[in-house]
């Protein structure tokens, strides 16, 4: 392989590691952040509720319906991003489970569990959209000597 081919290959690798967000990706990113923060606020509200742990939490089902609808819309717009779609599918699934049992059909601990199961894939989707997941996995995938050779263009 010639030096020019090596350089082109290394530049392609660098482009894969750092990709600026286009408008569509940026909108999806901020929607995922909004959804994550919204579910986190609900979780904090449930956690600080004055009710006992064995009583239903009485979440606002209307808010959950709105967030589920936004999750589904976000999933449709994420079609070009396979890893993001998988994470959003998981979040939608868990939100559907929560909606099926809410309000008043589950205790605080189970509600917290469902909310965590929604937020974890949203955090993953946000990471995928920001590119940090790709950069982190690429750094782990290559040894320090491989990264040095790539940086030097060897």
């Amino acid at each position: 392989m010639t030096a020019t081919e090596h350089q082109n290959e290394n530049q392609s690798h660098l482009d894969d590691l750092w990709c600026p967000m286009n408008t569509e990706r940026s909108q999806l990113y901020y929607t995922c952040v909004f959804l994550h923060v919204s579910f986190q606020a609900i979780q904090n509200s449930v956690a600080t509720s004055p009710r006992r742990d064995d009583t239903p939490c009485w979440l606002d089902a209307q808010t959950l319906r709105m967030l589920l609808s936004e999750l589904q819309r976000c999933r449709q717009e994420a079609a070009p991003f396979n890893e993001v779609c998988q994470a959003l599918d998981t979040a939608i699934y868990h939100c559907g489970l929560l909606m099926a049992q809410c309000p008043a059909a589950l205790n605080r601990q189970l509600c917290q569990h469902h909310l965590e199961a929604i937020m974890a894939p949203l955090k993953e989707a946000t990471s995928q959209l920001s590119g940090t997941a790709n950069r982190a996995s690429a750094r782990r995938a290559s040894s320090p000597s491989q990264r040095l050779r790539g940086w030097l263009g060897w």
Side-chain angles (χ1 to χ4, degrees):
M1 195 178 270
T2 68
T4 304
E5 289 172 328
H6 261 308
Q7 187 175 12
N8 288 341
E9 182 179 316
N10 288 334
Q11 184 60 45
S12 173
H13 180 68
L14 288 174
D15 290 342
D16 290 340
L17 292 177
W18 183 85
C19 55
M21 281 197 215
N22 61 24
T23 303
E24 178 183 1
R25 188 180 191 104
S26 179
Q27 287 174 341
L28 284 170
Y29 171 81
Y30 287 112
T31 300
C32 287
V33 168
F34 163 77
L35 289 165
H36 185 269
V37 169
S38 297
F39 282 108
Q40 192 172 40
I42 291 170
Q43 183 184 42
N44 289 339
S45 176
V46 170
T48 59
S49 171
R51 295 176 180 252
R52 296 189 333 253
D53 281 342
D54 61 341
T55 60
C57 66
W58 292 97
L59 284 178
D60 179 5
Q62 186 66 25
T63 301
L64 286 177
R65 270 194 288 282
M66 185 272 305
L67 290 173
L68 177 58
S69 175
E70 187 64 18
L71 255 174
Q72 291 167 334
R73 185 190 64 76
C74 185
R75 166 53 178 93
Q76 289 173 344
E77 292 176 2
F81 309 103
N82 191 37
E83 300 85 14
V84 175
C85 287
Q86 292 172 359
L88 292 175
D89 285 340
T90 302
I92 289 169
Y93 171 77
H94 286 287
C95 191
L97 287 176
L98 179 60
M99 289 290 299
Q101 299 174 15
C102 192
L106 65 157
N107 63 29
R108 186 187 312 207
Q109 184 179 3
L110 189 54
C111 183
Q112 293 278 10
H113 171 75
H114 282 303
L115 290 167
E116 275 295 324
I118 295 166
M119 291 187 308
L122 282 171
K123 187 174 182 177
E124 180 184 330
T126 302
S127 179
Q128 290 289 336
L129 287 166
S130 71
T132 56
N134 293 337
R135 288 192 297 268
S137 64
R139 277 195 297 268
R140 285 190 299 269
S142 61
S143 70
S145 62
Q146 289 171 321
R147 288 193 308 269
L148 178 61
R149 281 194 296 266
W151 184 74
L152 294 173
W154 294 349

